[in-house]
Structure formats: structure tokens, C-alpha cells
Amino acid sequence: MSETTTLPISALHERVEAIFRKAGLNSVQAGALARVIVAGERDACKSHGIYRIEGALRTVKAGKVKPDAEPELEKQEGSAIVKVNARGGFANPAFELGLPVLAERARVLGLAALVINDCTHFSALWPEVEGLTGEGLAGLVMCPSYATVAPTGGNKPLLGTNPFAFGWPREGRPPYVFDFATSVAARGEIELHRRAGKPLPEGWAIDAEGKPTTDPEAALAGAMLPFGGHKGSAIGTMIELLAGIMIGDLTSPEVLDYLGTTTLAPFHGELIIAFSPEAFAAGRPGNPFARAEVLFEAIVGQEARLPSQRRFMARAKSEAEGVVLAQGEIDQLDRLLAL
Ligand code: NDP
Ligand code: PYC
């Protein structure tokens, strides 16, 4: 068996934050990045854990993200639209800044949206969703990426892997959360297959000639496919419209034009919509949270699992025992800290 090391979550956070601080990120950026990356490892989401550190650092080095950016809340008293300008920094600190205002507006108005502009976003969306459910709110989160996915019926990269996530709060239990790419798989998964020298499952990608491929290199040079055929293609397009064009930010093809590569983290905007279930259900029979539990019980009653159940189990284990890292990953952290 290969060698592993188990680190307490706080120790891993310290190491990751120190790597970012050493690379010149200010404490706002470094702290928020370390929180999402460590959360990825803690929850066994390898495609958005420490594997993402090098991409973030490459993006800083290429001058495509500002390591010392201070996100700015644009004050619009009473509006349901809360705006945070990331000012060229990462999306995560901008979200942390906007969340309390978003939550307050959603509670007062029944629903509110947080628009983040001018940000670099490389992370999973469930940390944002859990920020909302932690406030007792339901929510939707989405953002473009860069053109790597062919629309159904097409054969060239155009849409992004455009992640889409939803959360519903639950009393005394982890929330109901789903979070996925609108491509068959996240691009990070393709990259992890390439690194491991493993073929892709069929149906994930086409090569540069538009032919189906299971070769990760050919897939990276060709195009990924949307999940669910025309349905995923349409949802991916909706995300380009709402979280790109509608919020006055870049679409996935524009992101690729701007960066000129998919080896750097994408620069665009993000849309987060928060709902107060109590406000929507007011005056109607039944408590929405109690009714939701009936639905969840019926799902689990069929031996189906709820999305994020695997992640919450991994989290409980990591919180009890620490995060297990392969020796290669420990070496990678040491190397990055020594840079
Ligand atoms: P997955 O296909 O791995 O998982 C998607 C969701 O489905 C998860 O909530 C997962 O829960 C759930 N799920 C998986 N299997 C089942 C099952 N059998 N029954 C019920 N639920 C299930 O996600 P992707 O590979 O598509 O995406 C991975 C991550 O990549 C996401 O977090 C996404 O935000 C991120 N991403 C980010 C991008 C960006 O630009 N920032 C772009 C694209 C993706 P569980 O975790 O518990 O397994
Ligand atoms: O995994 O598809 C992905 C991805 C793109 C940008 C960040 N993650």
C-alpha cells in the first residue's frame, strides 16, 4: 500500500494558507482560498482540493488575477440585487463579503441575488451553497467557465463546464445540496484521469475531429460533452446567459479569448440566488421544511442516496480523524511552500 499522512484539518489549512501568503496573496485572498481548497480535501472532492493550488498560483504568476485585491461591496440600499466587485481577485473572498448582505436581503424581501463581477473562480460551488443553507436559505449558484464543451449536435468547444448548484436547509442535519458541472464530468476529472494515465469513460468527450474518444489528451484537445444531451446543453447555455451576459460579465468563449488557455483559472462573474422558503410558503398550508423532510425520507426510503451524502460522510470522517493525503501530495505541499 502506498504511504499516506493524516493531517488535522487546521494543520492542512495553515499549510495551504502559508503557500498562498508566500506567493504574495493578501490575507483576504489567501484565507478564503485556503478555506475552499481545504474544504474540498476534507469532503473528498479531489478535483477541487489541493490539486487546484498550482493552477491558482499559475494564474497569479501570469498576471491574470490580482493577489492583493480587496473585494468591494457596491451599496444599493434596499435592492434585491447585491453586487460585489472582486476587483480582479478570486471569487471566494468576494462571496464571503457579500453573503451577510445577501442573506439579510433575502430574509427581508423573500429572495435576493448576489452578483460577483470581475473574479477568478476555480472552486466547487457547494461552499457558496452551504453559506446560504447555513443562513436558513435555499439557493442556486452558477457561473460560466471557459469554452471547452461542444453544444449537443455541435463538435467544437463553445460552452463552459458551467457548474450549477442548489441547496435546501435542514434542521439539525446537513443540508440537501447538489453541485455539478453541466458537462458529463468536470474538466478537473479529465485532468486527473490524464495524470493517472487512465482512459475516460465513454461518452465524456470528443476529439479534435469531433469523434468520440476515451483518451484524456485527445479529449483535452477536442471537446467535452454536455450531460444529458440537449438538456445539459440548454442548461449550460442558460448559465452563459444569466451568469455571463445578464450580469455584464464574460461568457465562456470570451473567457477563453481573454486567457488564451485553459491552463489558468477562468476569469468571469458568478450569480448566487437566495430564497427564503418561509416567505414563499407564507399563507399556504404546511411548513416547507417539514414537507421537504417527507420528500427526502421518501427518496432515502427507496434506498436512493441524497446528493452530497458521500461528501458529508467524508467530512465527518475527516473531522474525526483528519485528512488523509498521499505522500506525493505532501511532497507537493512542501515543494510549493519552498518556492
Ligand atoms: P459529480 O458528478 O461528481 O457530482 C455531482 C453531484 O451529484 C454531487 O452533489 C454528488 O454528491 C451528487 N451525486 C453523485 N452521485 C450521486 C448518486 N448516486 N446519487 C445522488 N447524488 C449523487 O460532479 P461533477 O464532476 O459534475 O462536478 C464536480 C465539482 O466540480 C462540482 O463541485 C462543481 O462545482 C465543480 N466545477 C467547478 C467549475 C468551475 O468553473 N468553478 C466547473 C465545473 C465543475 P456527492 O458529492 O455526495 O457524491
Ligand atoms: O473542473 O471543469 C472544471 C473547472 C473549470 C474551472 C474550474 N473547474
Coordinates of all heavy atoms in Angstrom, one line a residue, residues 241-282:
L241 N -26.1 32.8 -20.3 CA -27.0 34.0 -20.4 C -27.1 34.7 -19.0 O -27.0 35.9 -18.9 CB -28.4 33.5 -20.9 CG -28.4 33.0 -22.3 CD1 -29.8 32.4 -22.6 CD2 -28.1 34.2 -23.3
L242 N -27.4 33.9 -18.0 CA -27.7 34.5 -16.7 C -26.5 35.0 -15.9 O -26.4 36.1 -15.3 CB -28.5 33.5 -15.8 CG -29.9 33.1 -16.2 CD1 -30.5 32.2 -15.2 CD2 -30.8 34.4 -16.4
A243 N -25.5 34.1 -15.9 CA -24.3 34.4 -15.1 C -23.1 34.9 -15.9 O -22.0 35.1 -15.4 CB -23.8 33.1 -14.3
G244 N -23.4 35.2 -17.2 CA -22.4 35.9 -18.1 C -23.0 37.2 -18.6 O -22.8 38.2 -18.1
I245 N -23.9 37.0 -19.6 CA -24.4 38.2 -20.3 C -25.3 39.0 -19.4 O -25.1 40.2 -19.3 CB -25.2 37.7 -21.6 CG1 -24.2 37.1 -22.6 CG2 -26.0 38.8 -22.2 CD1 -24.8 36.3 -23.7
M246 N -26.2 38.4 -18.6 CA -27.1 39.2 -17.8 C -26.4 40.0 -16.8 O -26.8 41.2 -16.5 CB -28.2 38.3 -17.2 CG -29.3 39.1 -16.4 SD -30.5 38.1 -15.7 CE -29.7 37.6 -14.2
I247 N -25.3 39.5 -16.2 CA -24.6 40.2 -15.1 C -23.5 41.1 -15.7 O -22.7 41.6 -15.0 CB -24.2 39.3 -14.0 CG1 -23.1 38.3 -14.5 CG2 -25.3 38.6 -13.4 CD1 -22.4 37.6 -13.3
G248 N -23.5 41.2 -17.0 CA -22.5 42.1 -17.7 C -21.1 41.6 -17.5 O -20.1 42.4 -17.4
D249 N -20.9 40.3 -17.5 CA -19.6 39.7 -17.4 C -19.3 38.8 -18.6 O -20.1 38.6 -19.5 CB -19.5 39.0 -16.0 CG -18.1 39.3 -15.4 OD1 -17.1 39.1 -16.1 OD2 -18.1 39.8 -14.3
L250 N -18.1 38.1 -18.5 CA -17.7 37.3 -19.7 C -18.5 36.0 -19.8 O -18.8 35.4 -18.8 CB -16.2 37.0 -19.6 CG -15.2 38.2 -19.5 CD1 -13.8 37.7 -19.6 CD2 -15.5 39.2 -20.7
T251 N -18.7 35.6 -21.1 CA -19.2 34.2 -21.4 C -18.0 33.3 -21.5 O -16.8 33.8 -21.7 CB -20.0 34.2 -22.7 OG1 -19.1 34.6 -23.7 CG2 -21.2 35.1 -22.6
S252 N -18.2 32.0 -21.6 CA -17.1 31.1 -21.6 C -16.2 31.3 -22.9 O -15.0 31.2 -22.7 CB -17.6 29.6 -21.5 OG -18.2 29.4 -20.3
P253 N -16.8 31.5 -24.1 CA -15.9 31.8 -25.2 C -15.1 33.0 -25.0 O -13.9 33.1 -25.4 CB -16.8 31.9 -26.4 CG -18.2 31.5 -26.0 CD -18.2 31.4 -24.5
E254 N -15.7 34.0 -24.4 CA -14.9 35.3 -24.1 C -13.8 35.1 -23.1 O -12.8 35.7 -23.2 CB -15.9 36.4 -23.6 CG -16.8 36.9 -24.8 CD -18.0 37.7 -24.3 OE1 -18.3 37.7 -23.0 OE2 -18.6 38.4 -25.1
V255 N -14.1 34.2 -22.1 CA -13.1 33.9 -21.1 C -11.9 33.2 -21.8 O -10.7 33.6 -21.5 CB -13.6 32.9 -20.0 CG1 -12.5 32.5 -19.1 CG2 -14.8 33.6 -19.3
L256 N -12.1 32.3 -22.7 CA -11.0 31.6 -23.4 C -10.3 32.6 -24.3 O -9.0 32.6 -24.3 CB -11.6 30.5 -24.2 CG -10.5 29.5 -24.8 CD1 -9.6 28.9 -23.6 CD2 -11.1 28.4 -25.5
D257 N -11.0 33.5 -24.9 CA -10.3 34.6 -25.7 C -9.4 35.4 -24.8 O -8.3 35.7 -25.2 CB -11.3 35.5 -26.4 CG -11.9 34.9 -27.6 OD1 -11.4 33.9 -28.1 OD2 -12.9 35.5 -28.1
Y258 N -9.9 35.8 -23.6 CA -9.2 36.6 -22.7 C -7.9 35.9 -22.2 O -6.8 36.5 -22.1 CB -10.1 37.1 -21.6 CG -9.4 37.7 -20.4 CD1 -8.8 39.0 -20.5 CD2 -9.2 37.0 -19.2 CE1 -8.2 39.6 -19.4 CE2 -8.5 37.6 -18.1 CZ -8.0 38.9 -18.2 OH -7.3 39.4 -17.2
L259 N -8.1 34.7 -21.8 CA -7.0 33.9 -21.2 C -6.0 33.3 -22.2 O -4.8 33.2 -22.0 CB -7.5 32.8 -20.3 CG -8.1 33.2 -18.9 CD1 -8.5 31.9 -18.2 CD2 -7.1 33.9 -18.1
G260 N -6.6 32.9 -23.3 CA -5.9 32.2 -24.4 C -5.4 30.8 -24.0 O -4.6 30.2 -24.7
T261 N -5.9 30.3 -22.9 CA -5.5 29.0 -22.5 C -6.5 28.4 -21.5 O -7.2 29.3 -20.8 CB -4.1 29.0 -21.8 OG1 -3.8 27.7 -21.2 CG2 -4.0 30.1 -20.7
T262 N -6.6 27.1 -21.3 CA -7.4 26.6 -20.2 C -6.5 26.1 -19.1 O -7.0 25.4 -18.2 CB -8.2 25.4 -20.7 OG1 -7.4 24.4 -21.2 CG2 -9.2 25.8 -21.8
T263 N -5.2 26.5 -19.1 CA -4.3 26.1 -18.0 C -4.3 27.1 -16.9 O -3.7 26.9 -15.9 CB -2.9 25.9 -18.5 OG1 -2.4 27.1 -19.0 CG2 -2.8 24.8 -19.6
L264 N -5.0 28.2 -17.1 CA -5.2 29.2 -16.0 C -6.6 29.1 -15.5 O -7.5 28.8 -16.2 CB -4.8 30.6 -16.5 CG -3.4 30.7 -17.1 CD1 -3.2 32.2 -17.6 CD2 -2.3 30.4 -16.1
A265 N -6.8 29.6 -14.2 CA -8.2 29.6 -13.7 C -9.0 30.7 -14.4 O -8.5 31.7 -14.7 CB -8.1 29.8 -12.2
P266 N -10.3 30.4 -14.7 CA -11.1 31.3 -15.5 C -11.5 32.6 -14.8 O -11.8 32.6 -13.6 CB -12.3 30.4 -15.9 CG -12.4 29.4 -14.9 CD -11.0 29.1 -14.4
F267 N -11.6 33.6 -15.6 CA -12.0 35.0 -15.1 C -13.3 35.3 -15.6 O -13.5 35.3 -16.9 CB -10.9 36.0 -15.6 CG -11.2 37.4 -15.2 CD1 -11.0 37.9 -13.9 CD2 -11.8 38.3 -16.2 CE1 -11.3 39.2 -13.6 CE2 -12.0 39.6 -15.8 CZ -11.8 40.1 -14.5
H268 N -14.3 35.5 -14.8 CA -15.7 35.8 -15.2 C -16.5 36.4 -14.0 O -15.9 36.9 -13.1 CB -16.3 34.6 -15.9 CG -16.1 33.3 -15.1 ND1 -16.7 33.2 -13.8 CD2 -15.5 32.2 -15.3 CE1 -16.4 31.9 -13.4 NE2 -15.6 31.3 -14.3
G269 N -17.8 36.1 -14.1 CA -18.6 36.5 -12.9 C -19.3 35.3 -12.3 O -19.1 34.2 -12.8
E270 N -20.2 35.6 -11.3 CA -20.9 34.5 -10.7 C -22.2 35.0 -10.2 O -22.3 36.2 -9.8 CB -20.0 34.0 -9.5 CG -20.7 32.8 -8.8 CD -19.8 32.3 -7.6 OE1 -18.8 32.9 -7.2 OE2 -20.2 31.2 -7.0
L271 N -23.2 34.1 -10.3 CA -24.6 34.5 -9.8 C -25.1 33.6 -8.7 O -25.0 32.4 -8.9 CB -25.6 34.5 -11.0 CG -27.0 34.8 -10.7 CD1 -27.2 36.3 -10.3 CD2 -27.9 34.6 -12.0
I272 N -25.5 34.2 -7.6 CA -26.0 33.4 -6.5 C -27.4 34.0 -6.1 O -27.5 35.2 -5.9 CB -25.0 33.7 -5.3 CG1 -23.6 33.1 -5.6 CG2 -25.5 33.0 -4.0 CD1 -22.5 34.2 -5.5
I273 N -28.3 33.1 -6.1 CA -29.7 33.5 -5.8 C -30.2 32.8 -4.6 O -30.1 31.6 -4.4 CB -30.7 33.1 -7.0 CG1 -30.1 33.7 -8.3 CG2 -32.1 33.7 -6.8 CD1 -30.8 33.2 -9.6
A274 N -30.7 33.6 -3.6 CA -31.1 33.1 -2.3 C -32.6 33.3 -2.2 O -33.2 34.3 -2.5 CB -30.4 33.8 -1.2
F275 N -33.3 32.2 -1.6 CA -34.7 32.2 -1.4 C -35.0 32.0 0.1 O -34.4 31.1 0.7 CB -35.4 31.1 -2.2 CG -35.0 31.0 -3.6 CD1 -34.0 30.2 -4.1 CD2 -35.8 31.7 -4.6 CE1 -33.6 30.1 -5.4 CE2 -35.5 31.6 -5.9 CZ -34.4 30.8 -6.4
S276 N -36.0 32.7 0.6 CA -36.5 32.3 1.9 C -37.7 31.4 1.8 O -38.8 31.9 1.4 CB -36.9 33.6 2.7 OG -37.8 33.3 3.7
P277 N -37.6 30.1 2.1 CA -38.7 29.2 1.9 C -39.9 29.7 2.7 O -41.1 29.6 2.3 CB -38.2 27.9 2.4 CG -36.7 27.9 2.2 CD -36.4 29.4 2.5
E278 N -39.7 30.2 3.9 CA -40.8 30.7 4.8 C -41.6 31.8 4.0 O -42.8 31.8 4.0 CB -40.4 31.3 6.1 CG -39.8 30.3 7.1 CD -38.3 30.4 7.2 OE1 -37.7 30.7 6.1 OE2 -37.8 30.2 8.3
A279 N -40.9 32.7 3.4 CA -41.5 33.8 2.7 C -42.4 33.3 1.6 O -43.5 33.7 1.3 CB -40.5 34.8 2.3
F280 N -41.8 32.4 0.8 CA -42.6 31.8 -0.4 C -43.8 31.0 0.1 O -44.8 31.1 -0.6 CB -41.6 31.0 -1.2 CG -40.8 31.8 -2.2 CD1 -39.6 32.4 -1.8 CD2 -41.3 32.0 -3.5 CE1 -38.9 33.1 -2.7 CE2 -40.5 32.7 -4.4 CZ -39.4 33.3 -4.0
A281 N -43.7 30.3 1.2 CA -44.8 29.4 1.6 C -45.8 30.1 2.5 O -46.8 29.5 2.9 CB -44.2 28.2 2.3
A282 N -45.5 31.4 2.8 CA -46.4 32.1 3.8 C -47.8 32.1 3.3 O -48.1 32.3 2.1 CB -45.9 33.6 3.9

